[in-house]
Amino acid sequence: MSNFQIIENSPEWWSIYERVNTISPIPKEVWAQSKIEYCLRELSYGDFLVKQGKIPTKYAFVFSGVLREYYLTPDGDEYIKSFNFPGEFTGSYFDLLSKQPSTCNIRAITDCKLAVADFEDLSSLFETHIAWERLGRKVAENLFLKKARREYELLALDAEARYNILKETYPNIEDLVPQYHIASYLGITPVSLSRIRSKSGKLKKESND
Amino acid sequence: MSNFQIIENSPEWWSIYERVNTISPIPKEVWAQSKIEYCLRELSYGDFLVKQGKIPTKYAFVFSGVLREYYLTPDGDEYIKSFNFPGEFTGSYFDLLSKQPSTCNIRAITDCKLAVADFEDLSSLFETHIAWERLGRKVAENLFLKKARREYELLALDAEARYNILKETYPNIEDLVPQYHIASYLGITPVSLSRIRSKSGKLKKESND
């Protein structure tokens, strides 16, 4: 696992800035003054970014690879909260905000390249400039919208509808994520998922015929 | 349904300000300049504050009474997202942010007294002062934390554990909200809830003996 600082004005540094700007614009001079230290970190399949039970302090930007965010129950059951793809931020915002031992694990499903930074450094910026406050608001609003949609799916939709939404959101998810992880995210067994997939494949074939 | 403006510097006006301050402080002079028009509205049991399918524009502060926020599925099933009690804001932030037809209903469970205002007026303040941006961030963060906790409960906890958390959060909820609404919030049938309640009552009695 390599771990060295991302140099100011490097392509990686600017790619994080560009992504941040799509969430909420930060003036270039404000960004340059931010002094957040991003470190490049490589994870191999199975490596942890965040461990359940430990107080998390870091957030990360995904350059490449896929991670999964999941709870492990006392009985050893795994519940997948979300997947993280390239161009996304990760780090369990819930746990970073609550400052309690992490309620979840974040772990590499494939080899990953990430930029990792201290959440404390980011949150201390909120008070320094309205653009940082706005970014904080937009990030929280987006996460809230995502969670509210997920609640709706879990409460009001059946597994097949949830599967169809997942496929619409991430059309190539099945090439990147093993079926048993997708089943866990949908809250169903791998057997049920296989049944839904074969039904959906059949319907697709019929509509193409 | 009465509907008249809450006068600046009235006790109701200050009680909204005090509640806002517990979320994130707004300097008094900034609050006084905000020019948000709050109208007093009374709802009777069964009245709607927000109707599913209509684009919502209003948020509200609850002075008294209880409301429920729920989805109605095409089959006519009702899924309760949350309850709103005195001292809380309501209005389905999800739908206000997304500016789409509302995904839920908000409806009075008891007679209610509310202060109602335009969300547009509030959100236009975000850019005018860092204190408003911060309030927006805190509101979104709190809602995100609430939703993330709810997701955890729905995915990882059984109905009994979910019931116990609800009772801890709102000890007197059973005096205010009918059992079938509580069952819907927990995602179980009223019969299952009744079983859980009698088990929990029995355990309490045993530990007191």
Side-chain angles (χ1 to χ4, degrees):
Chain A
M1 193 194 293
S2 70
N3 203 342
F4 59 86
Q5 197 183 332
I6 291 175
I7 298 161
E8 222 173 293
N9 290 315
S10 64
E12 289 82 5
W13 196 79
W14 285 114
S15 103
I16 301 168
Y17 176 63
E18 269 166 31
R19 177 64 188 117
V20 164
N21 267 309
T22 65
I23 305 170
S24 183
I26 303 281
K28 261 190 186 169
E29 64 280 12
V30 174
W31 175 256
Q33 285 162 7
S34 76
K35 304 287 173 221
I36 298 184
E37 200 176 285
Y38 285 99
C39 288
L40 197 71
R41 187 180 292 175
E42 288 175 6
L43 298 182
S44 303
Y45 166 84
D47 283 348
F48 285 88
L49 176 70
V50 169
K51 266 202 177 176
Q52 196 166 332
K54 285 187 69 172
I55 292 177
T57 57
K58 307 276 186 191
Y59 69 101
F61 178 75
V62 186
F63 288 123
S64 66
V66 184
L67 302 102
R68 75 184 196 279
E69 208 173 310
Y70 66 100
Y71 310 114
L72 206 60
T73 68
D75 303 335
D77 290 325
E78 188 180 307
Y79 292 95
I80 295 189
K81 290 169 67 182
S82 66
F83 302 105
N84 308 128
F85 293 100
E88 294 180 353
F89 286 93
T90 178
S92 189
Y93 209 68
F94 175 84
D95 295 303
L96 289 166
L97 286 178
S98 69
K99 296 180 181 173
Q100 297 296 310
S102 180
T103 55
C104 74
N105 296 289
I106 303 180
R107 208 167 166 185
I109 289 181
T110 66
D111 292 348
C112 293
K113 205 171 271 183
L114 310 167
V116 176
D118 276 326
F119 182 66
E120 195 67 27
D121 289 351
L122 175 67
S123 55
S124 71
L125 292 174
F126 288 157
E127 301 195 2
T128 62
H129 195 285
I130 196 168
W132 287 114
E133 277 292 358
R134 188 165 305 144
L135 175 71
R137 172 170 66 83
K138 293 280 185 184
V139 166
E141 282 177 2
N142 291 344
L143 284 168
F144 163 66
L145 288 171
K146 192 177 163 186
K147 285 291 156 206
R149 270 187 219 109
R150 177 101 162 116
E151 179 196 45
Y152 173 76
E153 291 172 18
L154 287 170
L155 277 176
L157 301 184
D158 63 20
E160 193 176 336
R162 296 207 292 276
Y163 171 76
N164 290 334
I165 288 174
L166 186 68
K167 286 279 291 179
E168 272 168 38
T169 314
Y170 299 112
N172 62 342
I173 193 165
E174 287 174 308
D175 305 330
L176 300 167
V177 176
Q179 289 299 319
Y180 64 100
H181 285 331
I182 294 177
S184 165
Y185 174 82
L186 297 172
I188 57 177
T189 64
V191 175
S192 303
L193 175 58
S194 159
R195 208 173 294 133
I196 291 170
R197 287 183 71 222
S198 73
K199 192 179 156 198
S200 138
K202 223 167 161 181
L203 282 175
K204 221 170 175 181
K205 198 183 163 294
E206 277 170 12
S207 72
N208 286 341
D209 281 349
Chain B
M1 193 193 294
S2 72
N3 202 344
F4 59 86
Q5 198 182 332
I6 291 175
I7 298 162
E8 221 172 294
N9 289 315
S10 66
E12 288 82 4
W13 197 78
W14 285 114
S15 104
I16 301 167
Y17 175 62
E18 269 166 33
R19 177 63 189 118
V20 165
N21 266 309
T22 65
I23 305 171
S24 184
I26 303 281
K28 261 188 188 173
E29 64 280 12
V30 173
W31 176 257
Q33 285 162 9
S34 76
K35 306 285 173 221
I36 298 182
E37 200 176 285
Y38 285 99
C39 289
L40 197 71
R41 187 179 295 175
E42 288 176 4
L43 299 181
S44 302
Y45 166 86
D47 283 348
F48 285 87
L49 176 70
V50 169
K51 267 202 176 174
Q52 196 166 332
K54 285 187 68 173
I55 292 178
T57 57
K58 305 276 186 191
Y59 69 101
F61 178 75
V62 186
F63 288 122
S64 66
V66 184
L67 302 101
R68 75 184 196 278
E69 208 173 311
Y70 66 99
Y71 309 114
L72 206 60
T73 68
D75 303 335
D77 289 324
E78 188 180 307
Y79 293 95
I80 294 189
K81 291 169 67 182
S82 66
F83 302 105
N84 308 128
F85 294 100
E88 293 181 353
F89 286 93
T90 180
S92 189
Y93 209 67
F94 175 85
D95 296 302
L96 289 166
L97 286 177
S98 69
K99 296 178 180 173
Q100 297 296 311
S102 180
T103 56
C104 74
N105 297 290
I106 303 180
R107 208 166 166 187
I109 290 181
T110 66
D111 292 348
C112 294
K113 205 172 272 184
L114 310 167
V116 176
D118 275 327
F119 182 66
E120 195 68 25
D121 289 350
L122 175 66
S123 55
S124 72
L125 291 175
F126 288 157
E127 301 195 3
T128 62
H129 195 285
I130 196 168
W132 287 113
E133 275 292 357
R134 188 163 305 143
L135 176 71
R137 173 169 65 83
K138 294 279 185 184
V139 166
E141 283 178 1
N142 290 344
L143 284 168
F144 163 67
L145 288 170
K146 191 176 165 187
K147 285 290 158 208
R149 271 186 219 107
R150 177 102 161 115
E151 179 195 45
Y152 172 75
E153 291 172 19
L154 288 170
L155 277 176
L157 301 185
D158 62 20
E160 193 175 337
R162 296 206 292 275
Y163 171 75
N164 290 334
I165 288 173
L166 185 67
K167 285 280 290 181
E168 272 167 38
T169 315
Y170 299 111
N172 62 343
I173 192 165
E174 288 175 307
D175 305 330
L176 301 167
V177 175
Q179 288 300 317
Y180 65 100
H181 286 331
I182 295 177
S184 165
Y185 174 81
L186 296 172
I188 58 178
T189 64
V191 175
S192 302
L193 176 59
S194 158
R195 210 173 294 134
I196 290 168
R197 288 183 70 222
S198 73
K199 193 179 154 198
S200 135
K202 225 169 162 181
L203 282 175
K204 221 172 176 177
K205 197 182 163 298
E206 276 170 13
S207 72
N208 286 342
D209 282 349

